[in-house]
Short mmCIF file of all heavy atoms in Angstrom, two decimals:
data_model
loop_
_atom_site.label_atom_id
_atom_site.label_comp_id
_atom_site.label_asym_id
_atom_site.label_seq_id
_atom_site.Cartn_x
_atom_site.Cartn_y
_atom_site.Cartn_z
N ASP W 413 2.33 -27.78 -18.53
CA ASP W 413 2.51 -28.85 -17.56
C ASP W 413 1.23 -29.15 -16.76
O ASP W 413 1.25 -29.28 -15.54
CB ASP W 413 3.63 -28.42 -16.58
CG ASP W 413 4.46 -29.61 -16.18
OD1 ASP W 413 4.22 -30.69 -16.72
OD2 ASP W 413 5.34 -29.45 -15.30
N ASN W 414 0.12 -29.21 -17.47
CA ASN W 414 -1.18 -29.58 -16.89
C ASN W 414 -1.74 -28.60 -15.87
O ASN W 414 -2.57 -28.97 -15.05
CB ASN W 414 -1.13 -30.97 -16.25
CG ASN W 414 -0.81 -32.02 -17.28
OD1 ASN W 414 -1.28 -31.90 -18.42
ND2 ASN W 414 0.00 -32.99 -16.92
N THR W 415 -1.26 -27.38 -15.87
CA THR W 415 -1.93 -26.35 -15.07
C THR W 415 -2.08 -25.11 -15.94
O THR W 415 -1.36 -24.95 -16.93
CB THR W 415 -1.12 -25.88 -13.82
OG1 THR W 415 0.25 -25.82 -14.18
CG2 THR W 415 -1.32 -26.72 -12.61
N ILE W 416 -2.99 -24.25 -15.51
CA ILE W 416 -3.07 -22.95 -16.19
C ILE W 416 -1.91 -22.14 -15.64
O ILE W 416 -1.74 -22.01 -14.43
CB ILE W 416 -4.41 -22.26 -15.90
CG1 ILE W 416 -5.56 -23.09 -16.47
CG2 ILE W 416 -4.42 -20.84 -16.47
CD1 ILE W 416 -6.94 -22.51 -16.24
N ASN W 417 -1.09 -21.66 -16.56
CA ASN W 417 0.11 -20.93 -16.14
C ASN W 417 0.06 -19.53 -16.78
O ASN W 417 0.40 -19.35 -17.95
CB ASN W 417 1.36 -21.70 -16.59
CG ASN W 417 2.63 -21.05 -16.12
OD1 ASN W 417 2.77 -19.83 -16.16
ND2 ASN W 417 3.59 -21.85 -15.68
N PRO W 418 -0.41 -18.52 -16.02
CA PRO W 418 -0.57 -17.19 -16.61
C PRO W 418 0.70 -16.59 -17.21
O PRO W 418 0.65 -15.92 -18.23
CB PRO W 418 -1.08 -16.34 -15.43
CG PRO W 418 -1.81 -17.32 -14.58
CD PRO W 418 -0.99 -18.58 -14.67
N LEU W 419 1.87 -16.87 -16.60
CA LEU W 419 3.09 -16.30 -17.18
C LEU W 419 3.39 -16.98 -18.52
O LEU W 419 3.65 -16.31 -19.53
CB LEU W 419 4.28 -16.45 -16.24
CG LEU W 419 5.50 -15.68 -16.74
CD1 LEU W 419 5.33 -14.17 -16.57
CD2 LEU W 419 6.78 -16.11 -16.03
N ALA W 420 3.30 -18.33 -18.53
CA ALA W 420 3.56 -19.05 -19.78
C ALA W 420 2.55 -18.62 -20.84
O ALA W 420 2.90 -18.44 -22.02
CB ALA W 420 3.46 -20.56 -19.53
N CYS W 421 1.31 -18.43 -20.43
CA CYS W 421 0.25 -18.03 -21.35
C CYS W 421 0.60 -16.68 -21.99
O CYS W 421 0.44 -16.49 -23.20
CB CYS W 421 -1.06 -17.97 -20.56
SG CYS W 421 -2.44 -17.35 -21.52
N ALA W 422 1.12 -15.76 -21.18
CA ALA W 422 1.49 -14.44 -21.71
C ALA W 422 2.68 -14.55 -22.66
O ALA W 422 2.74 -13.85 -23.68
CB ALA W 422 1.80 -13.48 -20.56
N VAL W 423 3.62 -15.45 -22.34
CA VAL W 423 4.77 -15.62 -23.24
C VAL W 423 4.26 -16.12 -24.59
O VAL W 423 4.72 -15.70 -25.65
CB VAL W 423 5.80 -16.61 -22.64
CG1 VAL W 423 6.91 -16.92 -23.64
CG2 VAL W 423 6.39 -16.05 -21.35
N LYS W 424 3.25 -17.01 -24.56
CA LYS W 424 2.72 -17.53 -25.82
C LYS W 424 1.89 -16.49 -26.57
O LYS W 424 1.94 -16.42 -27.79
CB LYS W 424 1.82 -18.75 -25.54
CG LYS W 424 2.57 -19.95 -24.98
CD LYS W 424 1.59 -21.08 -24.73
CE LYS W 424 2.15 -22.09 -23.75
NZ LYS W 424 1.22 -23.19 -23.49
N CYS W 425 1.10 -15.70 -25.83
CA CYS W 425 0.10 -14.85 -26.50
C CYS W 425 0.56 -13.43 -26.80
O CYS W 425 0.04 -12.80 -27.71
CB CYS W 425 -1.17 -14.77 -25.66
SG CYS W 425 -1.97 -16.37 -25.46
N ALA W 426 1.48 -12.89 -26.00
CA ALA W 426 1.87 -11.48 -26.24
C ALA W 426 2.64 -11.39 -27.55
O ALA W 426 3.31 -12.35 -27.97
CB ALA W 426 2.72 -10.98 -25.08
N ASP W 427 2.56 -10.23 -28.20
CA ASP W 427 3.27 -10.06 -29.47
C ASP W 427 4.77 -9.95 -29.28
O ASP W 427 5.54 -10.34 -30.13
CB ASP W 427 2.75 -8.80 -30.18
CG ASP W 427 1.27 -8.94 -30.49
OD1 ASP W 427 0.92 -9.91 -31.19
OD2 ASP W 427 0.48 -8.13 -29.99
N ARG W 428 5.16 -9.36 -28.16
CA ARG W 428 6.59 -9.29 -27.83
C ARG W 428 6.76 -9.58 -26.35
O ARG W 428 5.89 -9.24 -25.54
CB ARG W 428 7.17 -7.88 -28.08
CG ARG W 428 7.15 -7.43 -29.51
CD ARG W 428 8.23 -8.12 -30.37
NE ARG W 428 8.23 -7.56 -31.71
CZ ARG W 428 7.41 -7.93 -32.69
NH1 ARG W 428 6.51 -8.89 -32.48
NH2 ARG W 428 7.48 -7.35 -33.89
N VAL W 429 7.91 -10.19 -26.02
CA VAL W 429 8.20 -10.51 -24.63
C VAL W 429 9.55 -9.90 -24.29
O VAL W 429 10.52 -10.09 -25.05
CB VAL W 429 8.26 -12.04 -24.43
CG1 VAL W 429 8.63 -12.39 -23.00
CG2 VAL W 429 6.92 -12.68 -24.80
N THR W 430 9.59 -9.17 -23.21
CA THR W 430 10.89 -8.62 -22.80
C THR W 430 11.19 -9.03 -21.37
O THR W 430 10.28 -9.32 -20.59
CB THR W 430 10.92 -7.07 -22.86
OG1 THR W 430 10.03 -6.55 -21.87
CG2 THR W 430 10.52 -6.54 -24.22
N THR W 431 12.49 -9.06 -21.08
CA THR W 431 12.90 -9.17 -19.68
C THR W 431 13.60 -7.86 -19.34
O THR W 431 13.94 -7.08 -20.24
CB THR W 431 13.91 -10.31 -19.46
OG1 THR W 431 14.93 -10.19 -20.45
CG2 THR W 431 13.24 -11.65 -19.57
N VAL W 432 13.86 -7.66 -18.05
CA VAL W 432 14.35 -6.35 -17.61
C VAL W 432 15.88 -6.22 -17.72
O VAL W 432 16.43 -5.22 -17.25
CB VAL W 432 13.84 -6.02 -16.20
CG1 VAL W 432 12.36 -5.67 -16.25
CG2 VAL W 432 14.07 -7.18 -15.24
N SER W 433 16.52 -7.21 -18.32
CA SER W 433 17.93 -7.06 -18.71
C SER W 433 18.21 -8.09 -19.79
O SER W 433 17.57 -9.15 -19.82
CB SER W 433 18.87 -7.27 -17.52
OG SER W 433 18.89 -8.64 -17.16
N PRO W 434 19.17 -7.81 -20.68
CA PRO W 434 19.50 -8.77 -21.73
C PRO W 434 20.04 -10.10 -21.17
O PRO W 434 19.65 -11.18 -21.63
CB PRO W 434 20.56 -8.06 -22.56
CG PRO W 434 20.32 -6.61 -22.31
CD PRO W 434 19.83 -6.51 -20.90
N SER W 435 20.90 -10.05 -20.15
CA SER W 435 21.47 -11.29 -19.64
C SER W 435 20.39 -12.18 -19.03
O SER W 435 20.46 -13.41 -19.13
CB SER W 435 22.54 -11.02 -18.58
OG SER W 435 23.67 -10.50 -19.20
N TYR W 436 19.40 -11.60 -18.39
CA TYR W 436 18.34 -12.41 -17.79
C TYR W 436 17.57 -13.17 -18.87
O TYR W 436 17.22 -14.33 -18.68
CB TYR W 436 17.40 -11.52 -16.98
CG TYR W 436 16.36 -12.27 -16.18
CD1 TYR W 436 16.72 -13.30 -15.31
CD2 TYR W 436 15.01 -11.96 -16.29
CE1 TYR W 436 15.76 -13.98 -14.56
CE2 TYR W 436 14.05 -12.64 -15.55
CZ TYR W 436 14.43 -13.65 -14.69
OH TYR W 436 13.48 -14.33 -13.96
N MET W 437 17.35 -12.54 -20.01
CA MET W 437 16.65 -13.24 -21.09
C MET W 437 17.46 -14.46 -21.53
O MET W 437 16.91 -15.54 -21.72
CB MET W 437 16.40 -12.28 -22.26
CG MET W 437 15.63 -12.88 -23.41
SD MET W 437 14.05 -13.62 -22.89
CE MET W 437 12.91 -12.28 -23.17
#
Side-chain angles (χ1 to χ4, degrees):
D413 216 5
N414 298 323
T415 39
I416 296 180
N417 184 318
L419 188 73
C421 175
V423 173
K424 294 179 200 180
C425 297
D427 298 303
R428 295 286 185 277
V429 177
T430 67
T431 49
V432 286
S433 71
S435 288
Y436 187 52
M437 183 54 94

